[in-house]
Amino acid sequence: MFDKTPPKGMRDILPEDLLLREKISDTIKGVYRSYGFTGIETPCVEDLGLLTSKQGGDNEKLIFKILKRGEKLENSSADDLCDLGLRYDLTVPLTRYFANNCGKLPSVFKAMQTGSVWRAERPQKGRFRQFVQCDIDIINEESFLAETELILATGEALEKLGLPDFCVRVNDRRLLKALALACGFCEKDFDKVFVTLDKLDKIGADGVEKELSEAFGADGAKKLVELTESLGDENEKAALEKACSICPEAGENLVNIFGTVTACGFEKIRFDASLVRGMNYYTGTIFEISYGDYGISVGGGGRYDELLGKLIGGKVCACGFSIGFERIFNILKDKGMTVDDGQGKVVFLTEKNASPAVLSSALSAAAQKRTEGNVCLVLKKIKNFGFQLSSLKQAGYTEFFVCSEQGIKKLD
């Protein structure tokens, strides 16, 4: 007997939830299209060599690997038996897509991609093994115009969804590296240092300092925490000026982004020197969206100017932003958002033993209603007719007709 529940970490999606998910996706895509982003699609399966190219951080440990067809399992390791894997994000597949198709694409390519990704996570509340990501990326735009458009488009999408209480936090990886160097940390230790620094809002300054001290010594740990916190204590303008003095290239980039975005009337943005982002492929600007009192990120991204170059040679500038689709869905569902498509919903009901003539009459009437823009069901009445009507009303149906040999009569 098979288990009727979905595999752990995966879900069946009920009709009302699917309607809301489609509404969210359509709203986001509509905004992105208005900014000139064009949709693309990549396979859910990619070459294992691409997925394990040391660019995906800890996500590379969570790949669902696929066995080669026809291979024997005996006396072989997983690496010998697997050559493909399910994608764990949409950015790494995008780089392969661009490398393969760059001759057919615009010189500055604005890509939009929505789809499922898979990670062999330990399932828990709000964390799934299959989930949807919604990404926009700009390739071959080296200036801060890319970051500015990504922030504005993502902010507008959230506003259109009825989620105004967000804030885009922004930092620059080059500034983080300059801070770490100034505090005496070696470049080979940066990734471990940044993973700890990223916990500042979770375990506090004392917790971060303690972890860094145990791993790298007290002097550098104390200095890094104090320097990072001092940037947070300043007002925005003073903090950005200080960032310019620490790392001129990163600081100037941040000043330009903030100046341009705010000049466009967008105020929901702040500088956060402790923001890290987990992916190893980020090279410059990084951003993350926090929402209200939920205490979670609902989106993030950044600039990854070296990732594409490893596939096609040379430097190819790229920057992307990903909306946390599942978290957005959960917030909107918590807020009681429902989908009203404005269409009338009509039901034609017949007796269980209705003749072909009665059925054809009901089907013809339903067809006419559909031409008028309605959604129509043709159903046979069940024994518990009251329950049937109640369920249909709960599903949004408002007009009911009973079809019989005597004709079609509307129920009051």
Side-chain angles (χ1 to χ4, degrees):
M1 183 67 178
F2 69 90
D3 186 351
K4 64 183 179 181
T5 60
K8 288 184 178 179
M10 300 184 183
R11 300 157 291 167
D12 292 328
I13 297 175
L14 296 174
E16 59 268 26
D17 286 343
L18 186 59
L19 279 174
L20 179 55
R21 293 170 73 87
E22 289 174 343
K23 174 69 173 177
I24 294 168
S25 178
D26 289 346
T27 300
I28 293 170
K29 289 178 181 178
V31 172
Y32 288 167
R33 287 192 189 98
S34 74
Y35 278 76
F37 290 92
T38 54
I40 67 166
E41 188 171 319
T42 59
C44 63
V45 173
E46 293 286 355
D47 186 274
L48 203 54
L50 174 70
L51 297 175
T52 57
S53 56
K54 307 299 182 187
Q55 301 301 319
D58 287 341
N59 291 327
E60 293 189 5
K61 301 173 185 176
L62 304 174
I63 298 171
F64 280 102
K65 297 179 180 179
I66 300 172
L67 290 174
K68 297 177 183 176
R69 293 193 61 184
E71 295 289 330
K72 293 182 179 180
L73 297 177
E74 296 178 4
N75 303 318
S76 299
S77 68
D79 291 337
D80 294 329
L81 290 168
C82 301
D83 58 352
L84 300 172
L86 293 175
R87 64 191 182 196
Y88 54 75
D89 76 354
L90 297 178
T91 303
V92 173
L94 170 65
T95 62
R96 182 205 50 76
Y97 176 95
F98 185 80
N100 187 49
N101 297 288
C102 57
K104 308 169 191 174
L105 299 172
S107 56
V108 174
F109 183 47
K110 300 174 73 173
M112 168 177 65
Q113 185 174 191
T114 299
S116 290
V117 299
W118 292 262
R119 296 178 190 172
E121 305 258 18
R122 178 173 294 179
Q124 54 185 290
K125 182 177 173 59
R127 189 177 290 274
F128 304 102
R129 288 177 166 176
Q130 178 182 346
F131 54 95
V132 171
Q133 287 190 336
C134 189
D135 288 15
I136 45 173
D137 295 81
I138 302 177
I139 298 174
N140 269 336
E141 176 52 68
E142 62 181 356
S143 79
F144 60 90
L145 172 61
E147 285 91 335
T148 302
E149 282 213 291
L150 292 170
I151 291 169
L152 292 175
T154 304
E156 186 174 329
L158 292 174
E159 294 277 2
K160 284 278 179 70
L161 286 168
L163 296 172
D165 301 326
F166 66 89
C167 180
V168 182
R169 295 152 52 223
V170 185
N171 197 11
D172 195 302
R173 275 271 181 160
R174 293 166 296 183
L175 176 62
L176 284 170
K177 291 178 179 180
L179 287 171
L181 282 173
C183 296
F185 292 97
C186 300
E187 193 165 351
K188 64 180 178 63
D189 296 324
F190 282 177
D191 286 343
K192 293 179 180 178
V193 172
F194 296 155
V195 166
T196 303
L197 186 63
D198 200 31
K199 301 176 183 177
L200 199 59
D201 61 341
K202 300 178 182 70
I203 63 176
D206 291 341
V208 169
E209 187 176 333
K210 183 175 182 293
E211 277 195 29
L212 289 173
S213 296
E214 290 172 353
F216 305 106
D219 290 344
K222 183 177 179 63
K223 189 175 180 182
L224 180 60
V225 170
E226 288 179 348
L227 193 52
T228 304
E229 284 206 303
S230 73
L231 284 166
D233 292 338
E234 302 277 5
N235 64 55
E236 206 85 78
K237 183 178 180 181
L240 291 174
E241 287 175 355
K242 193 169 185 177
C244 288
S245 67
I246 295 169
C247 180
E249 188 179 17
E252 183 181 351
N253 176 57
L254 291 169
V255 168
N256 287 333
I257 292 170
F258 274 75
T260 308
V261 167
T262 54
C264 292
F266 187 92
E267 301 290 342
K268 298 174 182 180
I269 183 172
R270 72 177 179 87
F271 171 52
D272 184 352
S274 67
L275 179 64
V276 172
R277 298 291 297 162
M279 296 300 192
N280 296 337
Y281 51 62
Y282 290 127
T283 57
T285 317
I286 47 177
F287 18 70
E288 195 163 280
I289 305 176
S290 53
Y291 188 81
D293 298 326
Y294 279 79
I296 56 173
S297 164
V298 297
R303 183 169 281 277
Y304 51 99
D305 285 347
E306 296 174 5
L307 188 56
L308 271 162
K310 291 180 179 180
L311 290 179
I312 60 179
K315 183 180 178 181
V316 182
C317 301
C319 196
F321 214 138
S322 178
I323 283 182
F325 186 91
E326 305 296 347
R327 290 180 174 179
I328 293 295
F329 168 76
N330 288 332
I331 291 172
L332 288 172
K333 193 172 181 184
D334 286 347
K335 289 177 175 289
M337 181 177 179
T338 56
V339 178
D340 181 7
D341 55 15
Q343 289 181 295
K345 293 192 173 183
V346 184
V347 183
F348 290 89
L349 296 147
T350 73
E351 296 297 334
K352 186 176 180 180
N353 58 351
S355 67
V358 170
L359 286 175
S360 63
S361 174
L363 290 166
S364 296
Q368 177 58 40
K369 282 284 188 180
R370 290 188 191 107
T371 64
E372 298 167 6
N374 298 288
V375 174
C376 289
L377 282 178
V378 177
L379 299 172
K380 291 190 174 183
K381 292 164 69 174
I382 65 172
K383 189 173 183 180
N384 191 345
F385 185 50
F387 173 76
Q388 186 178 29
L389 282 178
S390 175
S391 299
L392 288 166
K393 288 175 182 177
Q394 191 174 355
Y397 288 88
T398 56
E399 271 193 284
F400 301 89
F401 295 87
V402 175
C403 306
S404 66
E405 298 290 350
Q406 288 70 45
I408 298 176
K409 182 181 178 182
K410 186 174 183 180
L411 283 180
D412 295 328

